[in-house]
Amino acid sequence: MSDTDHGLHRKVERVESLVLRLEQGVGQVGVQVAHVGQRAEEANDRLQKLSQAFEDYVLKAERTANVQRSETRIGVVEGQIEHQFGHYKVVRRVATGMLQGFDLGLVSDDTLRDVGEQLMIETPRYWLAPVLVALRSWLADDQQQCERAVQEAFRRSPSRTSLFMALMLRRQGRVESSLRWLRHYLAALDPNGLGREFAVILESVSQGAFGPAGVEIVRERLEVWRAQLLGDEGREQAQVDRWRAEIERHAGPSSQQRFPRLAAVCPQWPQMDQALSKAAAHDSLIAKYSAMTAEEPAVRERLEDQVDDILDQLVTGYDEEELPLRRELAQHHAVVRNGGDLDAAQRDLGSDLLALDRRLDYLTIQSESALNPDKLGVTRATQRMAVSACHEWFGRAHATYSRDYRATLPADVEAVVETSHTPAGQAFRLPRWTGSFTRPIEELERSLAEHWDRAARPFIDSFAYKWGRNLIAPIAVVAVLLVCVGVMQNPAMLILPILVGGVWAAVLWWQSQNAAARQKEVEDALQLAKLDSVQQLRGAAAEVVDWSGTFRQADSREPAVRALIADLATAGNAPAPFERRVADARAGA
């Protein structure tokens, strides 16, 4: 009987050992699963970072290669321009010097003749070369040669020759002759395809270079062209779109760093951020165009100097033969300027190419003079005149711009909380909670806290020790032992079930304490997460108020922009500096 008791005792010990090992194994498996989950997340994060780093490296390498290729091509294209058209620069410099020689009389007739004839031979297709011969012939009073030279220049470039002669005669005080050339120039133009030199006409009008009569002739022609082109709604809309793009460039940066909590919890944040960014354009527009209207353009003391500046723009402009190479050069410069980003370079080049295109309609030249004066080589005075002429398009673009960003404002600003946590190595996901900031913040905080409590309670309770399930095995074992003791009718053997029950009770108590500690850890972690969510909500509500005030302040500047645009209508009507004076003493003789 003692052997039976001993064998039964060993079996009970083995069962207890197996139960303990099983529980330890289950615990180790849980820990390992948590570690595996954590390692998987870390591996996924590292893989994403590695993938992003590789993509960044590839992009950087590609852009670096683009920059290197463009820098190489810039040198090649500049060499081609210098080789093929470098002699054109000589002609341009000589033209300016010859005009100054008219005033100073320091250059001999023989020198002018030799230089003019030499450049005529070296540049057989360039329109300016025969113009130099004509100037020298005029100075020498050789009418027959002057006429032949003018005819040859006119054959090579009718528009530029006409404009040059109009300006040059105006410079010499030959008003009637200048106006005849000006009429001839304007009559031959097609408003649908004007050359780049037409920007010189706008410059001449803004500076009053042709005098009151010439300015009136140009204005009448421009009004006819404007009425003709505005009959095409597509052309007019294209100019409105151009001004809309100008306004868009004044939009402010994202304000996400200023309102981080709102950006984190509000699904309407992208629309709100965009609306605030666009509303910030009003102040920028006011600053730019107020400064333009307030600036007084520099005025030369002599009309001759003023006309010389305009003539410089005409003679130094690229010839049509140079445009393909100039266009390629502009493309490569845009790539280098944008760090090898081809898309950004193409966007940047979109406006640059306007200054390099062969032909533009009058409306486009007018808009480009207002928006990109440097690219067309016109002064601030011409820009102001062009802005004045374009104020209707500016106003329409600004009205639709303001209407559009206001239309994107959300009707309701909401907060959405939906987070994931891993307390004690176990994944917990808070179900989606949505609240509207139109409700009192106290009500929202209470609703979110209750939502947290409802969602977290079942998860926390799942960590409670399962006494009922864990007591089944020990109760069954102790009951079997008691039955065996009863069968053997040996009261001394009662010590065995008591001992087994006591050990097992100690094990269960230890397990329950561990479960209670783990449950408390999970509950504390989720409580902190709940408090953080509530604080985020409270901070987002405060940022909604700040955002609303900032947006109202930015948006309130819109009427000031409308008033400024209305003032721009008269900004280009200031008297030109030479409207009431003659070119020089010879004109009054």
Side-chain angles (χ1 to χ4, degrees):
M1 191 66 184
S2 59
D3 293 338
T4 302
D5 293 340
H6 183 68
L8 183 60
H9 181 68
R10 284 193 306 170
K11 289 181 179 180
V12 171
E13 289 180 346
R14 185 178 301 173
V15 169
E16 292 177 350
S17 177
L18 291 174
V19 170
L20 290 174
R21 289 172 59 188
L22 178 60
E23 291 178 346
Q24 292 174 355
V26 170
Q28 291 177 354
V29 168
V31 173
Q32 291 176 356
V33 169
H35 284 312
V36 168
Q38 184 177 0
R39 294 285 181 85
E41 291 181 1
E42 292 176 355
N44 186 42
D45 291 341
R46 290 180 180 177
L47 182 61
Q48 289 180 352
K49 292 179 180 178
L50 179 62
S51 176
Q52 186 62 45
F54 179 74
E55 291 177 0
D56 293 342
Y57 172 78
V58 171
L59 181 61
K60 183 178 180 180
E62 180 181 353
R63 291 183 175 179
T64 301
N66 292 338
V67 170
Q68 292 175 347
R69 282 194 296 268
S70 292
E71 288 176 341
T72 302
R73 285 299 301 167
I74 286 173
V76 173
V77 174
E78 287 179 343
Q80 290 177 332
I81 292 174
E82 181 64 27
H83 176 71
Q84 298 180 28
F85 305 105
H87 51 289
Y88 284 14
K89 294 190 296 185
V90 177
V91 181
R92 293 162 185 160
R93 288 197 298 267
V94 170
T96 303
M98 190 173 290
L99 289 172
Q100 294 175 355
F102 269 36
D103 295 333
L104 302 176
L106 299 177
V107 183
S108 68
D109 179 65
D110 291 339
T111 301
L112 294 176
R113 181 187 61 195
D114 293 342
V115 171
E117 292 175 354
Q118 180 180 354
L119 293 177
M120 182 72 184
I121 295 172
E122 293 179 353
T123 54
R125 295 186 301 274
Y126 193 30
W127 69 275
L128 193 55
V131 168
L132 298 183
V133 176
L135 288 177
R136 179 263 162 195
S137 302
W138 186 21
L139 184 62
D141 201 18
D142 188 345
Q143 181 177 356
Q144 185 177 4
Q145 187 179 28
C146 181
E147 290 177 352
R148 289 202 311 270
V150 170
Q151 289 174 1
E152 176 60 22
F154 189 82
R155 184 186 65 81
R156 296 183 181 185
S157 180
S159 60
R160 290 192 175 193
T161 301
S162 300
L163 186 54
F164 182 92
M165 295 302 296
L167 288 167
M168 192 267 295
L169 289 168
R170 171 59 178 165
R171 185 183 186 281
Q172 298 301 318
R174 308 291 183 88
V175 179
E176 291 300 325
S177 298
S178 172
L179 295 181
R180 282 198 300 270
W181 276 104
L182 180 60
R183 291 190 185 95
H184 187 67
Y185 170 73
L186 294 174
L189 294 180
D190 177 9
N192 293 291
L194 299 173
R196 290 167 296 110
E197 73 278 357
F198 185 75
V200 177
I201 282 291
L202 298 179
E203 187 72 19
S204 302
V205 173
S206 68
Q207 302 293 346
F210 288 116
V215 170
E216 188 61 28
I217 291 173
V218 175
R219 287 188 185 276
E220 289 177 0
R221 179 65 62 171
L222 296 185
E223 287 300 323
V224 171
W225 288 350
R226 184 180 178 88
Q228 177 183 338
L229 295 175
L230 289 181
D232 184 349
E233 294 183 2
R235 290 183 185 272
E236 185 175 13
Q237 186 59 44
Q239 305 313 314
V240 175
D241 293 342
R242 193 179 301 278
W243 280 93
R244 173 67 179 262
E246 158 70 3
I247 298 172
E248 295 280 358
R249 283 193 289 269
H250 287 265
S254 172
S255 55
Q256 182 169 345
Q257 293 184 348
R258 185 177 177 183
F259 305 103
R261 295 181 179 85
L262 184 59
V265 305
C266 180
Q268 291 81 25
W269 169 250
Q271 298 96 299
M272 298 170 66
D273 188 33
Q274 184 182 47
L276 180 57
S277 172
K278 289 183 176 295
H282 299 310
D283 266 336
S284 180
L285 289 170
I286 292 172
K288 174 180 178 178
Y289 288 96
S290 294
M292 186 196 70
T293 56
E295 180 179 343
E296 288 295 332
V299 179
R300 293 296 192 103
E301 294 182 359
R302 301 193 315 149
L303 175 61
E304 292 85 343
D305 296 334
Q306 195 76 25
V307 176
D308 281 349
D309 291 341
I310 300 173
L311 282 169
D312 284 342
Q313 295 180 34
L314 177 63
V315 301
T316 58
Y318 305 137
D319 197 68
E320 291 186 356
E321 293 177 336
E322 301 178 62
L323 284 178
L325 289 176
R326 292 290 178 180
R327 186 176 294 112
E328 182 181 356
L329 185 63
Q331 291 172 346
H332 292 301
H333 275 301
V335 172
V336 174
R337 190 165 54 249
N338 289 276
D341 188 341
L342 298 182
D343 293 335
Q346 191 61 37
R347 291 191 298 269
D348 189 16
L349 194 63
S351 57
D352 279 344
L353 284 179
L354 288 171
L356 297 177
D357 282 343
R358 297 172 66 91
R359 296 295 169 186
L360 300 170
D361 64 82
Y362 163 64
L363 300 182
T364 301
I365 288 183
Q366 191 177 62
S367 290
E368 283 305 301
S369 298
L371 299 176
N372 299 300
D374 294 338
K375 294 173 182 176
L376 286 181
V378 297
T379 62
R380 194 70 149 177
T382 301
Q383 181 191 20
R384 186 159 60 181
M385 183 188 72
V387 171
S388 175
C390 298
H391 76 279
E392 292 182 6
W393 305 331
F394 192 1
R396 287 174 54 184
H398 179 256
T400 57
Y401 173 85
S402 302
R403 179 200 64 198
D404 290 346
Y405 79 70
R406 288 167 178 168
T408 62
L409 290 174
D412 187 16
V413 180
E414 297 177 325
V416 173
V417 179
E418 187 176 19
T419 60
S420 297
H421 304 273
T422 55
Q426 299 296 318
F428 170 76
R429 183 173 182 82
L430 180 70
R432 184 183 183 90
W433 175 87
T434 302
S436 173
F437 283 112
T438 57
R439 298 163 55 189
I441 184 59
E442 295 80 6
E443 183 179 340
L444 289 178
E445 291 180 10
R446 184 170 57 254
S447 174
L448 178 58
E450 293 174 352
H451 177 77
W452 262 100
D453 293 340
R454 288 192 301 269
R457 179 46 53 192
F459 182 77
I460 295 173
D461 291 344
S462 67
F463 287 86
Y465 191 70
K466 309 300 187 295
W467 282 103
R469 184 181 64 188
N470 292 314
L471 284 174
I472 294 176
I475 290 176
V477 172
V478 172
V480 170
L481 292 177
L482 289 174
V483 170
C484 292
V485 171
V487 171
M488 291 183 295
Q489 295 182 353
N490 185 357
M493 294 300 296
L494 286 174
I495 188 82
L496 181 60
I498 293 174
L499 180 62
V500 171
V503 172
W504 216 317
V507 171
L508 294 180
W509 180 85
W510 175 77
Q511 292 176 345
S512 68
Q513 293 300 306
N514 287 340
R518 194 178 184 193
Q519 184 182 35
K520 185 67 168 61
E521 177 185 352
V522 170
E523 185 174 9
D524 291 343
L526 294 184
Q527 182 66 21
L528 289 176
K530 180 182 76 170
L531 293 176
D532 181 67
S533 292
V534 173
Q535 290 176 354
Q536 287 279 355
L537 178 64
R538 186 181 301 122
E543 289 181 357
V544 168
V545 177
D546 293 342
W547 178 91
S548 299
T550 304
F551 176 79
R552 282 195 300 269
Q553 182 178 1
D555 186 59
S556 66
R557 302 291 285 163
E558 186 265 345
V561 178
R562 282 192 279 114
L564 175 62
I565 294 174
D567 292 340
L568 290 175
T570 58
N573 297 332
F578 301 106
E579 282 185 354
R580 295 181 176 87
R581 52 168 290 194
V582 295
D584 55 22
R586 291 171 296 177

